[in-house]
Amino acid sequence: MAVENLVRPNIQKLTPYSSARSEFKGIADIFLDANENPFETGYNRYPDPLQRAVKNRISTLKGIPAENIFLGNGSDEVIDLLIRIFCEPREDHILILPPTYGMYQVSAGIADVAIREIPLTEDFQPKPGEILAAANTKSKILFLCSPNNPTGNSFDSALVKRILEEFSGIVVVDEAYIDFSEQDSFIQLIAEYPNLVVMQTFSKAWGLAGIRLGMGFASEEIVALFNKVKPPYNINQLTQQAALEALQNEQQQQAWVDEILEERSKLEKALDQLSFVQYIYPSDANFILVKMDDPVAVYDYLIAEGIIVRNRSKVLMCEGCLRITIGTLAENKNLIAALEKYK
Ligand SMILES: *Cc1c(COP(=O)(O)O)cnc(C)c1O
């Protein structure tokens, strides 16, 4: 399959903006090329448009060449760029597997790109046969979220591989929660599948939702398309610095993940004791989906107690469910105490 043939004609033809910082890459003493203010503030220069230092560290950490990494202003920018690169408005569509992350649909809606929904099975696994049957030449992107938000489970890797083999558009595997998962990441498969894009983020396990930094791993061809379409300086300097600092302290991330996983299993056990809790979905992420009697009443009660969880009870196949993020030990204790009072 040629990725080139999936790209919108206007993007194929596009001459990208060439910034001062991308035209001159060498070393010099005097920079009079970008209309910057010459007085040092720490931030008076434009940042590296290709974030080379950050990508080099990510490359070492993940074992993926820097040429196969794209960085976005959150994964949300990666999603948006993918749709604008591949989907012709009012002509092409994307495939999504509800219940899943809401941004795929919203980004498509903003771009005036239709969606086709192929719901997951009862145990929240993709249905390859139905997905492939629903796809045609206008199906440019399939979004798979694993571990899936809001259900928390990972997809069976054999199912994902079958889809990767047979779907003739771009397959995006959104791994925002992979650091909490027992499953292997799909990133190593980008060498094998030219149509695979794997997304990860600094927003969850890395504790950096505030800096807005998302990662896309893909073939050099797809990374070149991202770079062609992105705003020239999409990752600001503060973000690049904060990411570099965090990447220097990988043990901290692992310690947080370990603690969150321990807290997750404690919370599962405590929730299981509550009479109004019907089912706790198995989670491979830093949240749990919980089915209960009268979820809206519980949700409102928790708000009155000063605790906010996510009401997913109106979402297809999540009827009766609240989604609870794992907090600190103290926060989870407060949550459990409040829920015990409720019963
Ligand atoms: C939280 C989350 C993200 C992260 O988005 P950012 O823009 O990187 O903060 C991506 N995908 C899913 C499914 C998420 O739940």
Side-chain angles (χ1 to χ4, degrees):
M1 186 213 22
V3 165
E4 194 188 323
N5 298 332
L6 297 169
V7 179
R8 290 168 68 199
N10 66 311
I11 302 298
Q12 281 173 0
K13 282 184 282 189
L14 181 76
T15 306
Y17 178 74
S18 183
S19 66
R21 270 313 98 81
S22 53
E23 279 189 6
F24 180 79
K25 298 189 189 79
I27 296 168
D29 293 325
I30 301 177
F31 284 95
L32 304 176
D33 59 344
N35 298 349
E36 295 152 336
N37 185 323
F39 299 102
E40 191 58 53
T41 63
Y43 304 104
N44 55 315
R45 300 294 174 186
Y46 281 102
D48 176 1
L50 292 173
Q51 312 95 26
R52 278 166 265 242
V54 182
K55 283 180 186 167
N56 286 338
R57 288 212 80 97
I58 295 172
S59 167
T60 309
L61 183 71
K62 305 275 178 186
I64 294 284
E67 296 71 35
N68 295 104
I69 303 172
F70 173 75
L71 297 179
N73 187 343
S75 309
D76 291 343
E77 184 180 37
V78 183
I79 296 167
D80 177 64
L81 292 176
L82 281 165
I83 291 172
R84 288 194 285 136
I85 290 166
F86 293 107
C87 301
E88 200 57 43
R90 287 183 289 276
E91 206 174 292
D92 295 328
H93 57 256
I94 63 165
L95 304 181
I96 60 171
L97 316 181
T100 195
Y101 187 45
M103 276 309 290
Y104 315 134
Q105 177 162 10
V106 172
S107 282
I110 292 167
D112 208 0
V113 165
I115 56 160
R116 280 193 190 173
E117 300 180 285
I118 305 101
L120 297 170
T121 62
E122 294 252 294
D123 52 356
F124 301 135
Q125 290 296 323
K127 301 174 191 160
E130 292 192 21
I131 293 167
L132 295 165
N136 62 24
T137 56
K138 306 280 183 199
S139 312
K140 292 298 183 67
I141 309 175
L142 165 63
F143 284 95
L144 301 173
C145 187
S146 181
N148 187 41
N149 180 3
T151 60
N153 66 299
S154 294
F155 292 166
D156 179 337
S157 66
L159 296 178
V160 176
K161 280 197 193 135
R162 176 166 168 217
I163 294 165
L164 264 173
E165 301 276 351
E166 297 184 36
F167 180 67
S168 53
I170 302 294
V171 176
V172 179
V173 181
D174 185 345
E175 295 187 336
Y177 300 98
I178 193 69
D179 302 300
F180 304 102
S181 171
E182 307 263 289
Q183 301 280 312
D184 290 337
S185 165
F186 282 93
I187 50 174
Q188 299 304 335
L189 293 186
I190 59 167
E192 216 172 304
Y193 297 98
N195 60 328
L196 171 62
V197 177
V198 176
M199 295 197 304
Q200 296 184 4
T201 181
F202 282 83
S203 296
K204 310 285 156 65
W206 287 96
L208 292 171
I211 73 170
R212 312 306 302 129
L213 190 61
M215 297 169 265
F217 301 92
S219 66
E220 285 188 43
E221 186 180 6
I222 293 178
V223 169
L225 288 162
F226 277 127
N227 287 334
K228 193 175 181 184
V229 172
K230 78 181 184 80
Y233 303 108
N234 63 325
I235 308 299
N236 71 69
Q237 193 176 333
L238 291 161
T239 294
Q240 294 190 40
Q241 284 166 355
L244 275 175
E245 266 170 48
L247 285 159
Q248 245 123 36
N249 191 3
E250 198 201 324
Q251 294 85 334
Q252 174 62 84
Q253 188 252 43
Q254 194 51 54
W256 282 329
V257 168
D258 292 345
E259 193 167 333
I260 289 167
L261 294 184
E262 196 187 319
E263 283 299 305
R264 185 180 75 195
S265 73
K266 278 161 56 184
L267 185 58
E268 283 167 345
K269 287 195 191 96
L271 289 167
D272 199 36
Q273 303 301 309
L274 301 170
S275 61
F276 56 93
V277 167
Q278 295 172 14
Y279 190 70
I280 301 159
Y281 289 91
S283 171
D284 234 1
N286 67 336
F287 59 84
I288 29 184
L289 188 70
V290 188
K291 198 182 193 95
M292 58 187 72
D293 303 338
D294 213 350
V296 178
V298 176
Y299 176 78
D300 290 339
Y301 164 79
L302 286 174
I303 289 178
E305 294 287 308
I307 300 171
I308 316 302
V309 298
R310 192 97 151 117
N311 180 6
R312 298 283 80 183
S313 64
K314 305 277 180 309
V315 172
L316 175 84
M317 297 164 79
C318 297
E319 293 81 8
C321 290
L322 300 182
R323 192 195 69 189
I324 304 174
T325 304
I326 311 302
T328 61
L329 183 145
E331 289 172 334
N332 303 331
K333 269 194 179 158
N334 280 330
L335 170 74
I336 294 162
L339 289 173
E340 281 172 347
K341 235 180 347 151
Y342 178 81
K343 86 186 163 185

